[in-house]
């Protein structure tokens, strides 16, 4: 049965079983590979996307259960038109291997949408579900702080 | 690879270059010209194996794995510095597996065998590559060698290319070479006439260039400054292509399930799986199965639904306890290596003696991108897309698995979503090849589930250390270390080259015999436990455990001597090696070591010398109502030349995090031969909430350039254990520390 899904403002008809997680719809059916697979059990945050502005683990949302429009890293900003968080990430040279950073940025974007000027503790709390094996955490903190200031200013 | 052998062998451009100015390439190296594997299209010229010049600019082939360490950015800067092109205009590609790209550091150190600070890794390579004649197969990214390897090689390549272009320009313009300058991709005459490199390149190939004098540091434009990484924008916009992101026309997606005990498979029943949606084929891998489907998740689900009867034994002890028993027993057997034996260590001679036993567990690599590769077998041969730290070994293993000759393999190395040594293994590319063989003409991408990745890793082995120390007059006067662990090297070499070194495995004790402390009576012995659990190189390899053993025990000796642990170390290093003293002095100042300490905090220091670079760390912990938080860390390192300070800071911070992660929480255990940890909930890496703030300072006092990618891992665990001792008075000698300490996570 075909399911209708809106991703980054574009509507798609997806012919996959209802229980296929959104992650694998995005990656293997729609070729939106910016969203990453890390664990499949919501323990690492690499697959974080936004549904209706809320950060969710796309490995845990079945295709049939997607309740609103989906935004992925490709929809947040592009190399030619960066989101201010992506700009902050580049300014702070955050990424090392880079694999987890799509999820990190999508999580941070949801945080700043809700809490425009987060405290250090609020940043750590919001980002606690996103693993980075390269240890980029100090620069993630710095980039979020900087983006929050840009937003305020 | 497909292009090697199809082009005429030609001499390296710099093969004939005489090098002056102290940039001494080994004579052995320059006397062995290697085929240039590059075969560029029309309008482009491969100046040598590293530089392609075309109408649209300069391409650098940087054939080292980009796994997070920023190698491509700094290699581009090394080339641009001498070639006189704008660094930001240099395009970088990984390039093919080819002998021209062998790692000169692993190779040169291996052949030269230069002693004191030649890594055990290089020594082990040395014997094998010499014996097997596979020296040039060492296109390996590892051992923190990329900058040591590229530092002279890429600058010489840039300078030799520039000089060849100038000679062509001199002929065309009728002007002597000394009257020409180069800037921004052009040769410029004094009268203002300018010729772009692209117009000269085709005629410049094969020109012998005169003596090269590399530019002094005072003239550097790019090196020594912090450059924006060339992969940064792509990695922040989801547009960087990892192996898991490769998409090809008609591609299918596969999942694997292999014997959890690493034994064999009796049989399997896939009838139910075959009827599941999206499933196209079940492949018998001999020691497991693969499912090919239209979607990775559908393949994973069907793989789980295959009923498999496993059989056979593991080929190693079935429990972690039995493995540690074998390690303990190895102390009673033959010594595998004695890397150092100075003075008198057997008798106590009136010293104050301290002794202790330490243990570390098996740990996994667990890179964020699980093992994955894509493969296609068709009439042209085999095409592979994978992130590999050893692409020549991988390409050859894949050729064998596909049943095609080496020259029909096209191997594309992608960005790597973390590696830490894991992607030096060949298994994931070989399995993709075997699955592709079942569906000729169809490209297949194989993604291991996290569970498959974690239970089929090649682990950093557990190890046991027995340490004795002697103190007199408040100073260390005797140090005697024995370490027992199974040999990683013998396994990895067997997988890479089909043969294992006969010599001792110095990696078991690396980082114990060569620490920059002046202790007159000094002995280090290694014992190779004769067990074969799956083992592999893990970021900083033997240093990862020996740093913990050594620097925790030095702390015990300082405590027994009644000395401040930083003073104790500074006294031991001062006469031995000034750069080591320098990094200790730096963290003393950075952390205000001698100032007032906040109530309820503890501090630990550690100094580790690995891969040519001394690194000192001071770590602060704080009591948070009975739980322990890591609050601040200060890191000082002396890599000799800091080619890109901001990137080096990132590597040191990341290395520290990697070491702390293992020290606090990581542990792999076996039961019935099966790894018990399957996913991140059972194998918890460090999260942002546990990460301290980190300050880094770089010193450049030592004469040689050192490694960076791994060097902050070894001091992490001992700095933490020493800080906990300072906080609680309890000495913790077994990792992971979470078994004894309730950390804020």
């Amino acid at each position: 049965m075909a399911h209708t899904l809106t991703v980054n403002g574009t509507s798609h008809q997806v012919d996959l079983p209802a229980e296929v997680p959104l992650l694998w719809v995005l990656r293997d059916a729609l070729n939106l590979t910016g969203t990453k697979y890390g664990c499949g059990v919501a323990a690492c945050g690499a697959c974080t996307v936004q549904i209706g502005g809320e950060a969710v683990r796309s490995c845990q949302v079945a295709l049939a259960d997607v309740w609103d429009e989906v935004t992925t890293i490709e929809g947040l900003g592009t190399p030619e038109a960066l989101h201010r968080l992506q700009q902050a990430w580049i300014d702070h040279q955050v990424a090392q291997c880079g694999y987890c950073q799509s999820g990190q940025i999508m999580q941070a974007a949801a945080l700043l949408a809700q809490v425009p000027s987060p405290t250090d503790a609020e940043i750590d709390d919001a980002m606690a579900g996103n693993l980075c094996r390269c240890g980029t955490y100090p620069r993630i903190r710095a980039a979020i702080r900087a983006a929050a200031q840009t937003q305020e200013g | 690879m497909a292009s090697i052998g199809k082009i005429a062998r030609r001499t390296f451009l710099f093969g004939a270059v005489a090098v002056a100015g102290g940039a001494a390439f080994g004579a052995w190296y320059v006397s062995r010209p290697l085929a240039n594997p590059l075969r560029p299209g029309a309008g482009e010229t491969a100046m040598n194996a590293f530089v392609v010049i075309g109408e649209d600019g300069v391409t650098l082939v940087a054939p080292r794995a980009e796994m997070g360490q920023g190698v491509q950015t700094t290699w581009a800067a090394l080339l641009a510095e001498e070639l006189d092109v704008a660094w930001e205009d240099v395009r970088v590609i990984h390039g093919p597996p080819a002998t021209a790209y062998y790692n000169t550091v692993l190779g040169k150190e291996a052949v030269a065998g230069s002693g004191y600070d030649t890594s055990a890794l290089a020594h082990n390579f040395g014997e094998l590559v010499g014996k097997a004649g596979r020296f040039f197969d060492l296109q390996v990214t590892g051992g923190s060698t990329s900058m040591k390897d590229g530092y002279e090689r890429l600058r010489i390549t840039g300078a030799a290319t520039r000089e060849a272009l100038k000679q062509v320009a001199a002929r065309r313009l009728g002007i002597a070479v000394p009257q020409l300058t180069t800037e921004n991709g052009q040769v410029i005459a004094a009268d203002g006439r300018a010729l772009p490199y692209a117009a000269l390149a085709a005629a410049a190939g094969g020109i012998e260039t005169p003596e090269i004098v590399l530019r002094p540091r005072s003239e550097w434009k790019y090196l020594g400054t912090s450059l924006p990484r060339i992969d940064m924008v792509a990695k922040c916009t989801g547009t960087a292509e990892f192996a898991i992101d490769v998409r090809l026309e008609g591609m299918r997606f596969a999942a694997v399930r292999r014997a959890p005990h690493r034994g064999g498979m009796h049989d399997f029943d896939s009838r139910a799986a075959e009827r599941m949606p999206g499933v196209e084929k079940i492949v018998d891998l001999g020691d497991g199965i693969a499912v090919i489907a239209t979607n990775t998740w559908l393949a994973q689900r069907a793989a789980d639904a295959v009923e498999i009867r496993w059989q056979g034994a593991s080929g190693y002890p079935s429990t972690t306890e039995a493995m540690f028993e074998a390690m303990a027993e190895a102390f009673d057997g033959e010594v595998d290596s004695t890397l150092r034996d100075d003075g008198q260590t057997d008798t106590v001679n009136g010293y104050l003696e301290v002794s202790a036993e330490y243990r570390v567990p098996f740990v996994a690599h667990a890179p964020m991108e699980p093992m994955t590769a894509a493969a296609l077998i068709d009439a042209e041969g085999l095409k592979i897309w994978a992130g590999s730290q050893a692409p020549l070994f991988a390409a050859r293993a894949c050729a064998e698995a596909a049943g095609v000759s080496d020259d029909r393999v096209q191997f594309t190395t992608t960005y790597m979503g973390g590696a830490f040594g894991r992607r030096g293994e060949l298994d994931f590319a070989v399995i993709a090849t075997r699955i592709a063989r079942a569906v000729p003409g169809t490209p297949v991408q194989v993604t291991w589930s996290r569970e498959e990745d974690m239970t089929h890793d090649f682990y950093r082995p557990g190890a046991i250390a027995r340490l004795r120390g002697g103190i007199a007059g408040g100073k260390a006067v005797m140090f005697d270390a024995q370490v027992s662990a199974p040999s990683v090297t013998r396994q990895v070499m067997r997988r890479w080259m089909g043969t294992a070194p006969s010599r001792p495995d110095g990696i078991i004790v690396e980082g114990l015999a060569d620490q920059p402390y002046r202790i007159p009576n000094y002995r280090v012995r290694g014992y190779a436990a004769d067990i074969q659990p799956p083992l592999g190189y893990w970021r900083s390899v033997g240093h990862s455990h020996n740093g913990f053993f050594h620097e925790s025990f030095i702390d015990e000796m300082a405590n027994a001597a009644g000395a401040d642990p930083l003073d104790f170390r500074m006294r031991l290093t001062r006469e031995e090696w000034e750069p080591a003293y320098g990094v200790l002095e730096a963290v003393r100042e950075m952390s205000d070591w001698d100032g007032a300490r906040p109530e309820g905090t503890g501090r630990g220091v550690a100094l580790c010398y690995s891969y040519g670079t001394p690194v000192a760390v001071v770590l602060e912990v704080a009591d948070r109502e009975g739980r322990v938080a890591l609050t601040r860390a200060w890191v000082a390192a002396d890599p000799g030349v800091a080619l890109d300070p901001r990137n080096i800071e990132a590597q040191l911070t990341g290395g520290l995090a990697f070491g702390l992660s293992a020290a606090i929480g990581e542990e792999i255990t076996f039961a019935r031969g099966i790894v018990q940890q399957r996913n991140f909930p059972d194998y918890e890496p460090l999260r942002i909430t546990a990460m301290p703030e980190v300050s880094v300072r770089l010193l450049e006092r030592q004469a040689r350039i050192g490694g960076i990618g791994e060097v902050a891992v070894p001091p992490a665990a001992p700095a933490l254990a020493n800080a906990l001792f300072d906080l609680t008075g309890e000495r913790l000698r077994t990792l992971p520390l979470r078994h004894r300490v309730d950390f804020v996570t």
Side-chain angles (χ1 to χ4, degrees):
Chain A
M1 188 192 99
H3 299 263
T4 305
L5 194 66
T6 301
V7 183
N8 302 329
T10 303
S11 177
H12 300 270
Q13 293 289 313
V14 178
D15 189 17
L16 278 170
E19 64 273 25
V20 174
L22 175 61
L23 169 65
W24 296 108
V25 175
L26 295 170
R27 290 187 52 80
D28 293 359
L30 304 181
N31 286 343
L32 290 168
T33 55
T35 305
K36 302 304 189 201
Y37 166 66
C39 70
V41 297
C44 80
C47 68
T48 304
V49 301
Q50 291 175 15
I51 301 181
E54 184 189 343
V56 297
R57 309 292 183 234
S58 63
C59 72
Q60 298 300 306
V61 180
L63 171 58
D65 296 340
V66 176
W67 61 90
D68 203 341
E69 296 194 0
V70 178
T71 305
T72 70
I73 187 74
E74 292 94 340
L76 190 74
T78 63
E80 296 74 34
L82 296 163
H83 183 273
R84 63 193 164 80
L85 263 169
Q86 291 169 316
Q87 185 63 57
W89 244 246
I90 293 163
D91 292 344
H92 288 80
Q93 294 284 295
V94 173
Q96 290 186 31
C97 90
Y99 191 80
C100 72
Q101 300 298 346
S102 296
Q104 303 276 3
I105 291 170
M106 294 309 291
Q107 184 72 41
L111 166 68
L112 291 192
Q114 287 189 327
V115 187
S117 191
T119 63
D120 289 356
E122 285 170 329
I123 291 173
D124 274 15
D125 280 352
M127 304 305 294
N130 291 74
L131 285 176
C132 172
R133 287 288 276 161
C134 300
T136 64
Y137 299 131
R139 290 189 183 186
I140 287 174
R141 287 173 181 152
I144 294 173
R145 284 184 207 124
Q149 280 171 1
T150 317
Q151 180 174 252
E152 284 181 335
Chain B
M1 183 150 212
S3 59
I4 305 174
K6 288 184 185 171
I7 59 167
R9 283 179 78 91
R10 45 176 288 183
T11 307
F12 252 85
L13 184 62
F14 52 87
V17 172
V19 177
F25 250 34
W28 190 87
Y29 170 69
V30 294
S31 66
R32 294 287 194 286
L34 297 170
N36 186 340
L38 305 178
R39 214 170 38 142
E44 292 180 322
T45 305
M47 302 296 295
N48 44 60
F50 295 96
V51 183
V52 177
I53 296 180
E55 287 299 329
D56 56 347
V58 172
T59 301
L60 164 67
V61 179
R64 290 291 173 270
E66 180 52 80
M67 47 198 186
Q69 80 283 41
V71 59
Q72 294 189 341
T73 301
T74 310
W75 270 35
L78 286 162
L79 181 78
E81 195 66 77
E82 291 284 346
L83 185 54
D84 290 333
V85 290
W87 166 81
E88 58 271 26
D89 293 342
V90 177
R91 276 192 314 259
V92 182
I93 59 169
H94 184 282
T99 50
Y101 303 129
Y102 81 101
N103 186 319
T104 63
V105 175
L106 289 177
K108 210 159 51 173
E109 288 188 0
V111 170
S114 66
Y116 181 75
D117 60 357
T118 300
S119 71
L121 189 66
H123 274 302
N124 281 307
F125 278 124
E127 184 201 347
L128 276 191
V129 298
K131 196 165 70 185
R134 302 188 69 173
F135 192 92
F136 295 118
D137 285 1
L138 286 179
Q139 186 182 346
V140 169
T141 310
S144 293
T145 52
S146 289
M147 292 309 133
K148 282 187 254 184
D149 184 17
Y151 182 54
E152 288 178 357
R153 193 183 197 181
L154 270 292
R155 286 187 299 150
I156 290 169
T157 301
T161 306
R162 180 193 75 218
E163 291 305 314
L165 292 164
K166 279 165 74 178
Q167 287 198 31
V168 176
R171 282 205 299 269
R172 293 221 182 131
L173 298 172
I175 298 175
V177 169
Q179 261 76 61
L180 296 170
T181 58
T182 45
E183 196 183 321
N184 208 17
Q186 296 185 312
V187 181
I188 301 165
D191 60 12
R193 284 182 293 167
L195 290 170
Y197 286 176
L200 304 166
I207 284 189
E208 289 200 10
T209 48
E211 279 202 346
I212 300 285
V213 179
L214 293 177
R215 289 172 179 156
R217 184 166 186 172
S218 56
E219 291 177 20
W220 286 353
K221 294 193 293 276
Y222 303 118
L223 300 173
T225 61
S226 296
L227 299 170
R229 280 176 58 149
I230 59 174
D231 51 350
M232 190 58 68
V233 172
K235 287 178 173 177
C236 297
T237 51
T239 55
E241 190 180 76
F242 298 86
I244 201 171
D245 301 328
V246 170
R247 292 291 175 270
L248 302 164
E249 187 64 35
M251 182 178 249
R252 293 297 185 266
F253 302 92
V256 290
R257 247 180 89 201
R258 293 189 304 142
H261 64 317
R262 312 274 182 132
M265 178 171 69
H266 185 267
D267 58 15
F268 66 90
D269 178 350
S270 59
R271 284 170 296 181
E274 281 162 21
R275 289 193 298 272
M276 292 172 75
V279 173
E280 298 192 346
K281 190 156 194 160
I282 314 288
V283 183
D284 183 345
L285 295 172
D287 65 344
I289 56 99
V291 175
I292 300 172
T294 55
N295 182 288
T296 306
W297 188 80
L298 294 174
Q300 282 182 358
R301 188 172 63 164
D304 288 340
V306 176
E307 288 175 30
I308 305 176
R309 284 197 295 165
W310 305 112
Q311 70 165 10
S314 296
Y316 50 83
S318 63
T319 65
T320 319
E321 292 72 23
M323 292 184 202
F324 275 94
E325 274 168 32
M327 287 179 229
E329 282 166 16
F331 284 116
D332 301 327
E334 242 178 80
V335 175
D336 180 65
S337 67
T338 303
L339 285 197
R340 187 165 178 179
D341 192 0
D342 301 344
Q344 180 55 259
T345 42
D346 279 327
T347 52
V348 176
N349 283 343
Y351 310 150
L352 171 63
E353 187 175 345
V354 285
S355 62
E357 182 169 305
Y358 283 77
R359 282 187 185 208
V360 297
F362 290 79
V363 288
H365 299 84
M368 291 306 298
E369 179 189 26
M371 293 304 100
T372 181
L376 167 64
I377 295 179
D378 60 17
E380 289 175 28
L382 168 67
K383 296 187 182 72
I384 292 271
W385 292 259
S388 175
Q389 294 176 254
L392 261 172
F393 292 127
R396 290 202 170 131
C398 290
E400 198 181 316
V404 303
S405 54
D406 285 3
D407 63 352
R408 295 180 69 222
V409 178
Q410 193 181 314
F411 194 103
T412 303
T413 302
T414 60
Y415 283 136
M416 280 150 240
F420 316 121
R422 178 63 178 89
R423 292 185 213 275
E425 297 293 339
L426 317 179
D427 55 342
F428 54 101
V430 168
I431 285 172
T433 304
R434 291 170 63 197
I435 295 169
R437 210 175 171 174
V439 283
T442 300
V444 187
Q445 180 180 67
V446 188
T447 301
W448 296 21
S449 65
R450 174 57 61 190
E451 291 80 4
E452 198 68 16
D453 182 279
M454 196 163 282
T455 53
H456 291 80
D457 196 355
F458 294 92
Y459 307 93
R460 197 286 307 275
I464 305 174
R466 292 180 179 168
L467 305 166
R468 291 168 59 239
I471 295 148
K475 282 180 75 171
V477 292
M478 187 274 281
F479 177 74
D480 182 22
Q482 298 179 83
V483 177
S484 176
S487 170
V488 179
T489 307
R490 285 169 198 156
Q491 271 196 30
V492 176
M493 295 296 149
R494 212 173 285 122
R495 290 193 290 270
W496 279 0
M497 304 191 202
T499 177
S502 57
R503 68 163 68 196
D505 183 359
I507 282 175
I508 292 170
V509 286
E510 72 172 345
L512 282 170
D514 60 353
Q515 292 307 299
Y517 290 150
R518 180 152 295 183
I519 301 173
N521 304 292
Y522 202 133
R523 180 168 60 179
V524 176
R525 289 170 292 176
Y527 300 82
D530 188 19
I531 53 173
Q532 295 295 326
L535 306 175
Y537 293 135
W538 187 90
R539 195 175 185 179
S540 81
V541 195
H543 292 281
S544 71
H545 46 79
N546 293 326
F548 171 64
F549 299 152
H550 184 265
E551 278 299 283
S552 296
F553 191 68
I554 288 288
D555 226 59
E556 294 204 53
M557 291 172 72
N559 186 251
D564 173 89
L566 191 44
D567 279 340
F568 190 75
R569 287 173 172 83
M570 289 176 83
R571 277 201 299 274
L572 290 173
T573 54
R574 181 163 226 159
E575 292 166 21
E576 182 69 15
W577 198 41
E578 202 281 333
Y581 180 82
V583 293
L584 287 169
E585 196 178 36
V587 292
R588 174 167 225 144
E589 185 194 302
M590 292 164 74
S591 66
D592 189 19
W593 178 268
D594 302 301
R597 308 263 178 102
E599 190 71 17
T601 64
R603 285 194 184 179
V605 61
L607 166 71
C608 293
Y609 171 78
S610 64
Y611 307 100
T613 300
V615 181
V617 172
V618 168
L619 188 80
E620 181 186 74
V621 295
D623 185 335
R624 298 265 189 269
E625 294 163 351
R627 301 182 78 192
V628 174
L630 280 57
T631 45
R632 292 184 288 177
W634 297 269
V635 181
D638 187 344
V641 183
L643 291 175
D644 188 319
R646 182 171 48 187
N647 190 51
I648 291 173
E649 185 206 319
Q651 289 305 299
L652 293 172
T653 303
L656 183 76
F658 198 80
L660 291 174
S661 183
I664 291 171
E666 296 177 31
E667 179 177 34
I668 288 290
T669 56
F670 295 81
R672 291 170 287 113
I674 300 170
V675 168
Q676 300 298 287
Q677 293 71 29
R678 295 178 53 76
N679 204 321
F680 289 127
D682 339 302
Y683 191 85
E684 256 300 296
L686 192 81
R687 291 180 182 273
I688 195 170
T689 38
M691 182 74 190
E693 286 295 336
V694 184
S695 307
V696 174
R697 185 182 296 178
L698 302 178
L699 284 74
E700 299 183 304
R701 295 188 195 170
Q702 67 157 320
R704 301 197 314 169
I705 188 164
I708 280 297
E710 298 169 270
V711 300
V713 179
L720 175 56
N722 296 342
L724 290 166
F725 176 76
D726 188 46
L727 181 70
T728 67
E730 189 181 7
R731 177 62 60 184
L732 299 174
R733 301 187 182 92
T734 301
L735 301 182
L737 297 166
R738 67 176 156 79
H739 292 317
R740 300 285 294 278
V741 178
D742 185 10
F743 287 99
V744 173
T745 53

